[in-house]
Amino acid sequence: MATSLDDLLARVDSLNTPDAAYRHTVVGSSIVVADPADPEYALTAALDGASRTFTITETKPAQPTGPRRFEAGGIYNASKRVGLRGHMPQRRRVKENLLAFLERAEWKRAR
């Protein structure tokens, strides 16, 4: 049987670890995952307690517009790789962990 909304929201704090950059918080009947150091990114799971379903919304930083500039080395430039290392894969892992948490509680994703 699916976990009730109140019980599910009470367990959200268990997703937070002291060394994790992303924090899971409850806002109303939603779970919001955000990194205080990156205020432009947020992952929100809006929960529907009646049907035991959820929808995921991801807010990402705006992509730059205008002509693209190409620099020597591109993505192979060591200084650029350092800035990319671990950030996007970490967001994917955070999303996968949130989905797994909700699925273990037997909540279904609304399509």
Side-chain angles (χ1 to χ4, degrees), residues 54-95:
F54 64 92
T55 55
I56 296 285
T57 316
E58 203 167 9
T59 306
K60 298 179 183 179
Q63 296 297 319
T65 58
R68 296 180 114 182
R69 288 184 24 214
F70 293 95
E71 296 177 19
I75 193 67
Y76 300 105
N77 184 326
S79 64
K80 284 185 175 182
R81 279 197 318 268
V82 170
L84 294 173
R85 185 174 299 145
H87 197 66
M88 294 306 285
Q90 185 177 8
R91 285 182 183 172
R92 183 179 22 205
R93 188 172 43 247
V94 167
K95 186 175 182 178

Side-chain angles (χ1 to χ4, degrees), residues 14-38:
S14 70
L15 295 171
N16 294 319
T17 58
D19 60 335
Y22 290 88
R23 305 298 302 161
H24 297 75
T25 56
V26 174
V27 178
S29 61
S30 296
I31 301 170
V32 178
V33 184
D35 179 0
D38 184 9

